[in-house]
Amino acid sequence: MALMKKLDCFWTLSLCLVASKLCKALLDVPKLPTIYDPKFIEECVDSHNEFRSKVKPSAADMNELIWDNELAKVAKSWSIQCKFFHNPCTKKRYACIEGHDFLGENVYVGEIQSTPKQIISSWYNESEHYNFENTTCSKICGHYTQMVWANTLTVGCAVSNCPNLLGHSAALFVCNYAPPGNEKNYSPYIKGEPCSLCKRDDCRNNLCQFLTEKATQPRACHLLLLGFILHRIF
């Protein structure tokens, strides 16, 4: 009887120790940002644009990227699957988002403490393996060419905790792009003086700015008002 009580105490103590370590492990895992976190969004967008603005050779037609919530939702829905390969829907027409054709995608797995800028910087560093003149890679460089694809206009990213991928706590970071890049036998951008091939005269930090629907509405109203005033005068 005394032996049974000792065994019960031993197992109870063991369970308490395991529970204590589990709780500590859970507390040690940093809280990951959501796709609606303003700081996360800003860091993702600004990091992409920073690297897009300083490609070598310089780009004549590099667009400035803006955030797209729908792309971020696609990235999140895939990152929580904790699968370190590309989302199959990105290669099927209109399969990820209604109204979108194919999507571009970059995927990264690493330490959970990694920041968006660190990850995006690692993609940009693949430029060392890319030959712009003959559009070839000596090593992996597809992440780089996607993130500096000039015609891309929008990006959405997400991160999830995936402890199974590295055998310990790891982050799966996914970014989706529209329009997509990495078209075979095409350069990611046109070499030339920054912004020299922008469709409009809007240029900021070596990047072409494009007008979203929300941005064009005030301008259209201003033009209509100006036309009305000129009509009354003349």
Side-chain angles (χ1 to χ4, degrees), residues 175-216:
C175 286
N176 287 112
Y177 305 85
N182 288 354
E183 294 183 40
K184 192 174 181 180
N185 299 324
Y186 281 89
S187 298
Y189 58 86
I190 298 174
K191 178 172 64 174
E193 186 70 22
C195 294
S196 57
L197 291 180
C198 293
K199 294 180 180 178
R200 297 182 177 87
D201 292 331
D202 300 312
C203 178
R204 180 170 64 183
N205 298 328
N206 296 335
L207 301 174
C208 303
Q209 293 182 280
F210 68 99
L211 299 177
T212 63
E213 183 179 351
K214 291 182 180 178
T216 57

